[in-house]
Amino acid sequence: MYSIRNRRLKAQLILLYRMVSGASYFPDLNSFISFASSSRRPMLLKFHLPQTNDFFSITVPIWNSIVRNISTFLTPSQFEQLVVSSISRF
């Protein structure tokens, strides 16, 4: 069983995945984050407001550290497996 911190982090990462994949609606998402323009790493995100302390500023750096070696966009189940296998690092 994972700690409450790790379970919340997993939920945040899965919510972010749903937002960037279009499965969950977030108005004006592009003003907060966008995909980095890398064909070798299609899941890396850029954060547009780095001086804030909100959901994106906390979650995006962890997202990028998890997906930095991924060369294709993952399916929801593949992403969840990656998060579960990586979550203990944080």
Side-chain angles (χ1 to χ4, degrees):
M1 179 118 183
Y2 293 106
S3 68
I4 187 74
R5 180 180 178 276
N6 286 351
R7 287 181 285 177
R8 286 182 181 158
L9 182 57
K10 177 184 173 191
Q12 289 174 329
L13 290 165
I14 290 173
L15 176 61
L16 183 57
Y17 178 87
R18 288 180 182 161
M19 284 190 271
V20 299
S21 68
S24 290
Y25 176 71
F26 186 86
D28 208 18
L29 181 65
N30 291 334
S31 66
F32 294 96
I33 60 171
S34 63
F35 285 106
S37 57
S38 172
S39 60
R40 294 187 315 168
R41 292 179 176 80
M43 292 188 72
L44 287 180
L45 296 174
K46 289 189 300 186
F47 183 60
H48 298 294
L49 303 169
Q51 300 302 324
T52 61
N53 190 18
D54 61 1
F55 172 80
F56 296 109
S57 65
I58 294 167
T59 312
V60 168
I62 296 170
W63 167 285
N64 284 339
S65 69
I66 289 174
V67 301
R68 77 173 162 255
N69 295 323
I70 303 301
S71 61
T72 61
F73 200 86
L74 300 176
T75 65
S77 61
Q78 290 172 328
F79 181 74
E80 187 170 350
Q81 289 174 355
L82 178 66
V83 168
V84 167
S85 66
S86 303
I87 201 93
S88 61
R89 293 188 296 167
F90 303 99

